[in-house]
Amino acid sequence: MQANDVRVLKSAAIPTLAVGAIVAVVALVVVGGKGALGAVVGTLLVGVFFSISVVAVSYAAKVSPQVMAMAAMGSYLVKVVAVMLMLVAFGDTGAWHPKAFAWSVVVCTIVWTAFEVRAFVKTKMLYVDPEAKVPGKGD
């Protein structure tokens, strides 16, 4: 992974884990132990899925911009479908409180996405190649 990608991963993961911990404490107070367990599982689910996505796109970027774009779109689609399947599969489980699980997934997804966007915006990367030759333009 490139240093920029590690920075983006940390910039999104740390706030997400912090917010996930807050959601778990709130769920513990409001619902009890099963609520806290649901919130923790939801937070870990988001952390793992979104981390895999960042790593996949990072490695695809080494191949080409086209492969990176395909990896980004493909991992996004897989991530959304997988999270939805997990919410449906564990929506009525007795192991943890399903609403605490679902709320932690939603809140952590929003936090991860917001901080990932923030990290990309703050990253000093060139969007175009300043040395590129434009066909039909002198030189």
Side-chain angles (χ1 to χ4, degrees):
M1 279 181 75
Q2 297 177 9
N4 287 339
D5 297 325
V6 172
R7 217 173 297 123
V8 167
L9 186 60
K10 282 190 208 175
S11 296
I14 292 170
T16 301
L17 291 175
V19 168
I22 293 168
V23 171
V25 169
V26 169
L28 177 65
V29 170
V30 173
V31 183
K34 285 189 174 190
L37 178 61
V40 168
V41 171
T43 300
L44 292 176
L45 175 76
V46 169
V48 168
F49 280 16
F50 280 66
S51 295
I52 290 171
S53 180
V54 170
V55 171
V57 171
S58 174
Y59 283 110
K62 291 180 182 179
V63 177
S64 75
Q66 293 82 7
V67 174
M68 182 184 77
M70 290 187 315
M73 294 304 294
S75 68
Y76 178 77
L77 178 65
V78 168
K79 182 171 37 183
V80 168
V81 170
V83 168
M84 289 171 61
L85 289 174
M86 294 291 286
L87 287 172
V88 170
F90 295 109
D92 56 354
T93 185
W96 57 73
H97 194 269
K99 284 188 180 179
F101 172 73
W103 276 108
S104 70
V105 168
V106 169
V107 169
C108 289
T109 297
I110 291 168
V111 170
W112 183 287
T113 304
F115 277 91
E116 188 175 37
V117 167
R118 180 181 181 271
F120 275 119
V121 167
K122 290 183 76 169
T123 300
K124 305 290 188 225
M125 289 178 28
L126 294 175
Y127 292 92
V128 295
D129 182 8
E131 308 281 326
K133 304 283 187 223
V134 178
K137 298 275 184 175
D139 296 327

